[in-house]
Amino acid sequence: MPLFGKPKNPEEHRYYLLPGQGRGARKKHRQQVLAGIVVGCIASAILGLLLWQMNRR
């Protein structure tokens, strides 16, 4: 693969977007990441509260 200029076979470097790889997929991925962060924060808060209650006695 040359650093400068055209590749020898440009068809080899062609790619296609499949259905679901466009704007909607990025939006869905962003929503899933946000939901994962929220669920992780809630779970860690519950676990922290549980540990705090157990060590308070």
Side-chain angles (χ1 to χ4, degrees):
M1 186 167 125
L3 292 176
F4 301 103
K6 289 185 174 183
K8 291 181 183 179
N9 185 5
E11 294 296 319
E12 183 180 329
H13 299 285
R14 180 178 291 203
Y15 66 96
Y16 297 96
L17 287 176
L18 298 173
Q21 290 182 324
R23 192 177 316 137
R26 278 182 257 145
K27 182 179 177 186
K28 184 176 179 182
H29 182 260
R30 194 176 312 120
Q31 288 175 344
Q32 289 175 343
V33 168
L34 181 62
I37 291 172
V38 168
V39 168
C41 288
I42 291 171
S44 66
I46 291 171
L47 184 61
L49 184 63
L50 181 67
L51 290 173
W52 177 71
Q53 285 285 52
M54 286 173 57
N55 286 324
R56 203 175 116 199
R57 294 181 188 168

